[in-house]
Amino acid sequence: MTVMEPVDWRAALPWPAIDAHKHARGRLGVVSGKATQTGAARLAARAGLRIGAGVVTIFCPPDATAVIAPAIEAIMLTPFGSDEALAEAAAELDAMVIGPAAGVNDATQANVRAIAGTGAAMVVDADGLTAFEGWPEDLFEVLDRDDVLTPHEGEFRRLFPGLLDQDREAAAVNAARRAGAVVVLKGAATIIAAPDGRRSVNGNGSRWLATAGSGDVLAGMIGGLMAQRMDSFEAARAAVWMHAEAAQAFGPGLIAEDLPDRIPTVLAALYSQIG
Amino acid sequence: MTVMEPVDWRAALPWPAIDAHKHARGRLGVVSGKATQTGAARLAARAGLRIGAGVVTIFCPPDATAVIAPAIEAIMLTPFGSDEALAEAAAELDAMVIGPAAGVNDATQANVRAIAGTGAAMVVDADGLTAFEGWPEDLFEVLDRDDVLTPHEGEFRRLFPGLLDQDREAAAVNAARRAGAVVVLKGAATIIAAPDGRRSVNGNGSRWLATAGSGDVLAGMIGGLMAQRMDSFEAARAAVWMHAEAAQAFGPGLIAEDLPDRIPTVLAALYSQIG
Amino acid sequence: MTVMEPVDWRAALPWPAIDAHKHARGRLGVVSGKATQTGAARLAARAGLRIGAGVVTIFCPPDATAVIAPAIEAIMLTPFGSDEALAEAAAELDAMVIGPAAGVNDATQANVRAIAGTGAAMVVDADGLTAFEGWPEDLFEVLDRDDVLTPHEGEFRRLFPGLLDQDREAAAVNAARRAGAVVVLKGAATIIAAPDGRRSVNGNGSRWLATAGSGDVLAGMIGGLMAQRMDSFEAARAAVWMHAEAAQAFGPGLIAEDLPDRIPTVLAALYSQIG
Amino acid sequence: MTVMEPVDWRAALPWPAIDAHKHARGRLGVVSGKATQTGAARLAARAGLRIGAGVVTIFCPPDATAVIAPAIEAIMLTPFGSDEALAEAAAELDAMVIGPAAGVNDATQANVRAIAGTGAAMVVDADGLTAFEGWPEDLFEVLDRDDVLTPHEGEFRRLFPGLLDQDREAAAVNAARRAGAVVVLKGAATIIAAPDGRRSVNGNGSRWLATAGSGDVLAGMIGGLMAQRMDSFEAARAAVWMHAEAAQAFGPGLIAEDLPDRIPTVLAALYSQIG
């Protein structure tokens, strides 16, 4: 597997047309965890907004409303009380991120299934993956080839027991086929694999990304590109590279809050390269 | 219609006198939406303060108080419980922005009418426009030639059905006459038209403005200039240009939160040009 | 009256000793207004901390606690339920600021009197002044020569009816004598006058200071210097100049929130000048 | 005692491996005070995250949840209702900071003892020290040589009455032996002493650190390095130096909130020196 370069996906990046408006540019949703655990969703949402989704909405349990509302401005907020309500609220979205700090429980499972039933492409991360430990087929059967799973190795083992006995590249490729979705196996050399056999390994991984919340930002970045109708495999490739590029430019002392506000610099460099 | 340049409105920009005090410099109000939707008003208010209104107050439903209060410092906050209370609270203002995340409902209609009855010049944006879909004459009859409507094309069609069958410039000019107010028809080339026939097309439109909340910032900027007693047509022209200038200077990755804090740079350049 | 220069008060500026600790460096209190009006106190407190008070505490009505607590980190918070409780809480302070958004009412009067009975030097601003309209002697009789009043012209007229029939300099000098405290008569050329006859006029006034909250920041800066045991007249002179210097360096688009974080630059320049 | 230089501890600094993940990089906990006094814990937590702990959790009294939750993103939050619950929650941690604004009371004593019973190395600061005034042996008997005490001179006298009759270096060395833990005696020339006799005096102390909250930041920095399994004596030495370096680079006007975001610059310089 060859190491990917920006040239591999740069032409697929979405840029707003001169006459774009925010809704045309793409609508992203992010599902928040409970009231004490909303930071992950806020990180993902801000990353999705920064990377170009025109409208970003956080969907939260009703008791988390008071926590999130004072902390957002351009990001919108919709409380939901059940998986049915979530599905209904999500009906107009282009993409949805679920998993960061969502909780490992039945409600998260139900929420993933509810979103899968809408037209929104889905990024499933963190607790959204672990909630299906022991029942991975329940997840796979609702996934679409435009959906993306973003496990680190621990989460990967829970969904794909045994696959990491092979090398990481083969494991990711097989996982994508099995899940019927794009798989992003995170690590020093993150693997991105699509169910149609496309695969890529990232070469600019940064040690500084080993910090709480950096995965939430990545999920938001992928979702933000998908909301702009970028092909999911390409979105994952681009986001993984940009995420690491932002981290590496920052260097020691990076925390996840730094990442969303570094996206403009990375985007500007890529934008200048497309002439 | 010729494309406007800063020289067209630069001399009309308000600058504080050396012995100005905050109240003399102009008082702006912004009406907030409900507790989950206060970010739009906060963006508009900060933009209005940045562009020079001396005192800016957010008027909010009582249950939004706890959300807004921790997020503001120089901006003031007044809860209101009815349209009558809003009108009373607004009596001392020079200008008022209503519409961003206000809600498409009878209360917003009533609030618009209440403000129209005060001496404050009014910017009606977003939900403040859509609330009158089907009854545009109810809006037009309370407007004054110093008021400003800031529709994007979707909102424009709701208030002026059929007018966009013409070209955009003619549509805006006719809409301003019909409404008896300044109309800002937003888009890649925003049109600004006054009821007395003045019209202008903006030439520095930025694709990066296609992001949630950028319209709220524009409404606040227009209101902030009007609060300083700038002529409403000139205020709209100046704000549209400055808003795009700030966005274009930022480039890819712009979110609406970036815009208010970019106003000083744009203002400083204009201030240096007036000698 | 000659226009003051930094050289007039620069040698009196307090700098921490190499072995200073926070309590030795000075303790400042700021009285907050009610829950919807806490921003003024937060601005004043941050300004006081920035200018060198070692410990800064906001004293607030109990229902304002939930608003202020999430917005502060290094600043401390003490709720108080009565003027007696305020006096007790303030007993350990070196200086106290009261008035910004305090409310024009009997409680503010009582709070001013309560603080006057402690050993803390007091800055009385805004509502703390207006609360004594009609009864200025009630204020003057509790003031000490180390206390500072910071009226703009409107507030000055409420406390010293008729004095502004003279020129501003003479008015301030007479007001200081009458009040038995330092008077800072704010304006394009702010006058600082002490009860012992010292007086000064500031020469670097900035038009950009005509923005909501800038007076709160000034009150906090004066209080912050007084907490460090700088002579009150000198503290007022230094703070007025530094406040304007920070504003002028920022230029168009200034809002009060910008000012506290500009104090370090102004301080650093002054520190470098003392060798 | 010779003055320490970065070369003395630089090689012991932890850096993430290229394939590190956040949990491997170290888990830090910080115990918050009550609802009105959470800022100290937030400062310490952010400092610990900035200096490289992979996961940082604030443990707070249940009524402080609503205050802290809106103010954090990457930092996690766990309410606890008793010392037993705290010990259970802390079981997975590598290091824990307790004391900043914790309250001088029996609960703080109980919480210190509860943490001491877990495998987490502990930094005891501020109220965590003063809570044992009169009963210092109750603290010493639960300490481990990997724990760190960070008293200023006042707190030192409460725990080690009479020791400061000697010179400061000897006092710290004897205190470390008596406590069976690392002692950081803060001051212009901070002394770091280990129970095995190692000792060091810091030479880059900054006068600008005499500001509220700077001690909280230092405690978080020490804890953040300890969470990364740096030897506690070395962690204390490194953190004391970096803390002062950040302050000195900032200069006049420093407040504690500035410090965590200055850690990256200090870290980057050290990282570049290790080649």
Side-chain angles (χ1 to χ4, degrees), chain D residues 153 156 164 166-173 185-191:
Chain D
E153 291 197 2
F156 189 94
L164 271 171
Q166 322 166 46
D167 66 57
R168 296 176 77 251
E169 289 88 342
V173 168
L185 173 54
K186 298 187 287 194
T190 292
I191 314 294

Side-chain angles (χ1 to χ4, degrees), chain B residues 168-179:
Chain B
R168 295 177 78 252
E169 289 89 340
V173 168
N174 286 332
R177 287 217 179 85
R178 192 176 300 178

Side-chain angles (χ1 to χ4, degrees), chain B residues 112-232:
Chain B
V112 169
R113 278 194 286 255
I115 295 165
T118 70
M122 186 166 57
V123 179
V124 187
D125 182 42
D127 292 351
L129 301 168
T130 302
F132 288 93
E133 184 174 10
W135 303 271
E137 296 301 331
D138 287 6
L139 173 61
F140 303 158
E141 75 184 10
V142 301
L143 293 178
D144 185 275
R145 64 181 177 178
D146 288 338
D147 296 327
V148 177
L149 310 181
T150 54
H152 57 57
E153 291 197 3
E155 291 155 351
F156 189 94
R157 288 178 203 280
R158 288 172 206 142
L159 287 187
F160 306 101
L163 271 195
L164 272 171
D165 298 345
Q166 323 166 47
D167 66 57
R168 295 177 78 252
E169 289 89 340
V173 168
N174 286 332
R177 287 217 179 85
R178 192 176 300 178
V182 175
V183 169
V184 177
L185 174 53
K186 297 186 289 191
T190 292
I191 314 295
I192 304 102
D196 61 9
R198 288 177 291 167
R199 79 280 302 272
S200 224
V201 57
N202 186 46
N204 73 338
S206 170
R207 69 187 70 229
W208 311 117
L209 286 171
T211 187
S214 76
D216 308 326
V217 173
L218 177 61
M221 292 173 72
I222 298 173
L225 290 175
M226 288 163 60
Q228 296 170 79
R229 269 80 72 189
M230 191 177 185
D231 170 79
S232 296

Side-chain angles (χ1 to χ4, degrees), chain C residues 3 36 60 210:
Chain C
V3 172
T36 52
C60 73

Side-chain angles (χ1 to χ4, degrees), chain C residues 89-269:
Chain C
E92 303 288 306
L93 298 175
D94 298 293
M96 180 72 107
V97 174
I98 181 164
V104 178
N105 52 44
D106 289 351
T108 296
Q109 276 198 26
N111 290 338
V112 169
R113 279 194 286 256
I115 295 165
T118 70
M122 185 165 57
V123 179
V124 187
D125 183 41
D127 293 350
L129 301 168
T130 302
F132 288 93
E133 184 174 10
W135 304 270
E137 297 301 332
D138 286 6
L139 172 60
F140 302 159
E141 76 184 9
V142 300
L143 293 177
D144 185 275
R145 63 181 179 179
D146 289 337
D147 296 327
V148 178
L149 310 181
T150 54
H152 56 56
E153 292 197 1
E155 291 155 352
F156 189 94
R157 289 178 203 278
R158 289 172 207 142
L159 288 187
F160 306 101
L163 271 194
L164 271 171
D165 298 344
Q166 322 166 47
D167 65 57
R168 297 177 77 251
E169 290 88 341
V173 168
N174 287 332
R177 287 218 178 86
R178 191 176 301 178
V182 175
V183 169
V184 178
L185 173 54
K186 298 187 287 193
T190 292
I191 314 295
I192 304 102
D196 60 8
R198 289 176 291 167
R199 80 280 302 272
S200 225
V201 57
N202 186 45
N204 73 338
S206 170
R207 68 186 71 227
W208 312 117
L209 286 171
T211 188
S214 75
D216 308 326
V217 173
L218 177 62
M221 292 173 73
I222 298 174
L225 290 174
M226 287 162 62
Q228 296 171 79
R229 269 80 72 190
M230 190 177 187
D231 171 79
S232 296
F233 173 75
E234 300 293 7
R237 295 210 297 174
V240 165
W241 186 91
M242 289 194 268
H243 183 246
E245 188 74 2
Q248 198 60 20
F250 191 99
L254 175 80
I255 64 175
E257 274 105 327
D258 300 319
L259 288 170
D261 290 347
R262 301 269 152 171
I263 292 173
T265 303
V266 177
L267 279 176

